[in-house]
Amino acid sequence: MEFAETPFHFELPPELLENIIISLKRAGGRRERRKSVRQRFPLLQMMAPFYRKMPKANQFVPVLCYDLSTAGVAFYWPSAPDFSKAILGLGERSQLTYVAARVVRKVDCGPNGRVLLGCEFVDRVGVS
């Protein structure tokens, strides 16, 4: 899948990113069981599917997010995914915070094949 060079618009409030990191530390990599409030988040962020190996920085593509909370994120994918885990780059493009996420929900968005993927944050990770 190829994406044209797209201007990025990042408006992730620093305090929300910090709350995500705190939530991940508190969970210690365990599944988050509390419900958290989701906020509409119709912005582009970076994502790479996880296939047994940590993706390289050049393997990330922009995805349009739908909503975000301290426990997870939902974003649109162009077709049914062939992955169950992903790495997301959140925040400013020059200073992304990378988090591992598990796909926990898939919702078809009509005849064009687009899918809304709901993901649960698992842990903070590093990407080279």
Side-chain angles (χ1 to χ4, degrees):
M1 165 183 332
E2 293 194 26
F3 289 84
E5 187 62 33
T6 307
F8 288 86
H9 302 282
F10 296 101
E11 297 175 14
L12 179 62
E15 61 277 1
L16 180 55
L17 183 57
E18 186 60 31
N19 287 340
I20 291 168
I21 294 167
I22 289 169
S23 177
L24 287 169
K25 286 179 183 175
R26 214 179 295 138
R30 293 183 314 271
R31 182 176 178 200
E32 177 68 20
R33 294 178 191 265
R34 291 180 294 132
K35 299 285 183 193
S36 58
V37 177
R38 291 200 175 264
Q39 297 179 14
R40 287 280 295 131
F41 191 64
L43 302 171
L44 293 174
Q45 297 290 279
M46 301 302 288
M47 191 284 304
F50 181 86
Y51 301 107
R52 297 185 185 166
K53 289 173 40 175
M54 187 62 71
K56 302 269 189 235
N58 65 354
Q59 294 176 301
F60 284 77
V61 296
V63 292
L64 177 62
C65 294
Y66 176 76
D67 62 19
L68 177 73
S69 76
T70 58
V73 65
F75 61 87
Y76 294 101
W77 193 246
S79 60
D82 64 347
F83 55 90
S84 61
K85 297 177 184 170
I87 306 298
L88 288 121
L90 302 174
E92 300 282 335
R93 190 170 191 185
S94 61
Q95 293 183 321
L96 293 176
T97 296
Y98 293 97
V99 294
R102 176 178 29 254
V103 177
V104 294
R105 183 186 60 188
K106 302 170 194 171
V107 179
D108 291 329
C109 295
N112 65 359
R114 190 165 81 153
V115 178
L116 180 65
L117 300 180
C119 296
E120 173 184 55
F121 294 137
V122 176
D123 205 355
R124 189 172 178 186
V125 296
V127 173
S128 55

